[in-house]
């Protein structure tokens, strides 16, 4: 039986998707060739790219004046591409620092120009989302991380601003409804909620580009990739194909609206158990708890070895927290069945009974 996979990333994908993807490795499209040995300019792959973009557009209701790209270099390269493309040579940009990924994005922006950190939750090891963020100056853009994969916090609403809003949605894209029109640019590495590592989804409003007065290397220029339909160079065909299959799966299930409800149910029952169980506690501020990455810990660290063994013996994978937080992190991405969450809860209950005897 497949393990209960709570991995934070790369993460669980639907079984149907994995089966279909494995077939395509041997014989894609009944052409007696593998998906990964045909030209990316052949009709079958061009159709994959087209369908992948269409599905993104449909599932997130992306307006017509936005481009949808599948790039390489992970979300980490977007940390650099964003300032290259949006920060003018005499302008300034703003960042909200809510954790490791935000911090890495800030480092790249600072290398290119004036970068202000307008809100920061590092004083309490990123266990909350800053409130009432005032954006009073004129910035080329304001950057935030919608879901903090490592710490387990999530923006439930987004700051209001006239500046262009840029968002790293790597770990909660397609998990809940969003209003794309509120953002100038959204990016997400595929491997958290969409597919395997190797491609990054970028959704960018066309009219925000080309205004920096900066020379941008071709591969870092969004316009290059828009003009060439994400095929300026050889695209990562397999990650794009698997992402397309996952998005098809999501659409068949009922789309983002459907999965949002399930994701709420999954996180709700797990947080309830964490709050109820006398052995465990939740790590982050309640109002800022993520529906994707649930971070928690044991009151008594001496019990951790025993709990780890119990998890291991019961086929639970990927529950260990990030080294900068410690404790546990249950990642509840779209493809994780609610049954896995219920199974984990049962285990936590058993563990409590055993230790309270
Ligand atoms: C994982 C992650 C990243 C880094 O993604 P890579 O594709 O490995 O570069 C960036 N931001 C967030 C929010 C993440 O969860």
């Amino acid at each position: 039986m497949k393990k209960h996979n709570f991995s934070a990333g790369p993460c669980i994908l639907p079984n149907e998707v994995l089966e279909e993807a494995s077939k395509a490795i041997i014989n894609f499209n009944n052409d007696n060739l593998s998906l990964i040995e045909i030209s990316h300019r052949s009709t079958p792959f061009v159709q994959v790219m087209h369908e992948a973009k269409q599905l993104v557009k449909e599932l997130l209701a992306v307006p017509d004046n936005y481009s949808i790209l599948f790039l390489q270099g992970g979300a980490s390269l977007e940390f650099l591409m964003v300032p290259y493309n949006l920060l003018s040579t005499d302008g300034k940009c703003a960042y909200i620092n809510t954790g490791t990924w935000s911090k890495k994005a800030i480092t790249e922006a600072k290398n290119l120009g004036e970068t202000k950190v307008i809100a920061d939750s590092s004083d309490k090891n990123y266990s909350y989302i800053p409130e009432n963020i005032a954006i009073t100056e004129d910035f080329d853009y304001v950057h935030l991380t919608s879901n903090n994969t490592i710490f387990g916090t999530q923006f439930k609403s987004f700051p209001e601003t006239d500046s262009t809003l840029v968002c790293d949605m790597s770990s909660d894209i397609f998990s809940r409804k969003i209003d794309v029109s509120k953002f100038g640019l959204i990016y997400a590495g595929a491997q958290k909620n969409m597919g395997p590592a190797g491609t990054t989804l970028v959704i960018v409003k066309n009219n925000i580009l080309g205004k920096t007065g900066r020379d941008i290397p071709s591969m870092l220029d969004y316009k290059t990739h828009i003009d060439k339909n994400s095929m300026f160079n050889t695209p990562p065909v397999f990650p794009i194909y698997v992402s397309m299959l996952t998005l098809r799966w999501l659409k068949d299930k009922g789309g983002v609206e459907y999965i949002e409800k399930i994701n709420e149910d999954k996180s709700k029952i797990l947080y309830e158990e964490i709050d109820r169980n006398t052995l465990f506690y939740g790590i982050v501020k309640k109002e800022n708890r993520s529906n994707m990455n649930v971070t928690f810990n044991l009151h008594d660290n001496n019990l951790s070895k025993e709990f780890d063994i119990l998890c291991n013996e019961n086929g639970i994978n990927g529950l260990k927290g990030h080294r900068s937080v410690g404790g546990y992190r249950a990642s509840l991405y779209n493809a994780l069945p609610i049954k896995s969450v219920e199974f984990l809860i049962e285990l936590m209950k058993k563990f409590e009974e055993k230790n309270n005897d």
Side-chain angles (χ1 to χ4, degrees), residues 91-287:
K92 58 185 183 226
C93 57
Y95 279 71
I96 300 170
N97 179 17
T98 51
T100 310
W101 300 117
S102 311
K103 236 166 67 183
K104 289 192 171 174
I106 292 166
T107 302
E108 301 299 336
K110 279 189 170 160
N111 277 333
L112 277 196
E114 193 181 339
T115 305
K116 267 201 169 173
V117 177
I118 54 168
D120 187 316
S121 59
S122 59
D123 60 331
K124 291 184 181 156
N125 198 28
Y126 301 113
S127 60
Y128 69 102
I129 296 285
E131 267 176 61
N132 304 320
I133 301 165
I135 304 167
T136 48
E137 294 167 71
D138 204 14
F139 293 107
D140 286 346
Y141 66 90
V142 176
H143 179 283
L144 74 156
T145 313
S146 56
N147 181 69
N148 298 283
T149 326
I150 292 176
F151 298 92
T153 60
Q154 185 174 33
F155 281 87
K156 302 296 170 183
S157 63
F158 298 101
E160 290 294 330
T161 174
D162 292 332
S163 299
T164 297
L165 208 53
V166 174
C167 193
D168 175 359
M169 291 194 189
S170 292
S171 54
D172 67 353
I173 195 147
F174 299 113
S175 74
R176 56 171 170 169
K177 269 182 292 163
I178 46 157
D179 181 355
V180 173
S181 71
K182 293 216 154 169
F183 300 88
L185 191 148
I186 293 167
Y187 62 90
Q191 72 275 16
K192 305 281 166 48
N193 217 7
M194 188 172 70
T199 192
T200 318
L201 172 65
V202 175
I203 302 170
V204 55
K205 195 172 181 178
N206 297 319
N207 69 2
I208 66 171
L209 298 174
K211 294 179 175 171
T212 62
R214 195 187 286 287
D215 287 330
I216 309 173
S218 314
M219 271 297 279
L220 300 185
D221 190 343
Y222 290 122
K223 284 199 154 169
T224 305
H225 301 287
I226 293 171
D227 291 346
K228 298 292 181 189
N229 203 19
S230 296
M231 297 220 200
F232 172 66
N233 67 328
T234 316
V237 294
F238 188 67
I240 294 171
Y241 178 66
V242 182
S243 298
M244 186 277 277
L245 292 177
T246 311
L247 297 178
R248 237 192 223 168
W249 168 87
L250 180 56
K251 184 184 166 184
D252 289 347
K253 287 263 164 194
V256 172
E257 213 159 293
Y258 164 85
I259 211 79
E260 179 172 24
K261 176 79 183 53
I262 307 274
N263 287 334
E264 277 167 9
D265 291 347
K266 286 191 296 192
S267 59
K268 184 166 179 278
I269 58 172
L270 183 53
Y271 281 121
E272 275 171 7
E273 175 58 18
I274 290 166
D275 292 339
R276 187 210 60 78
N277 195 306
T278 52
L279 301 183
F280 295 95
Y281 67 95
I283 291 174
V284 306
K285 191 171 168 194
K286 280 192 181 170
E287 303 89 275

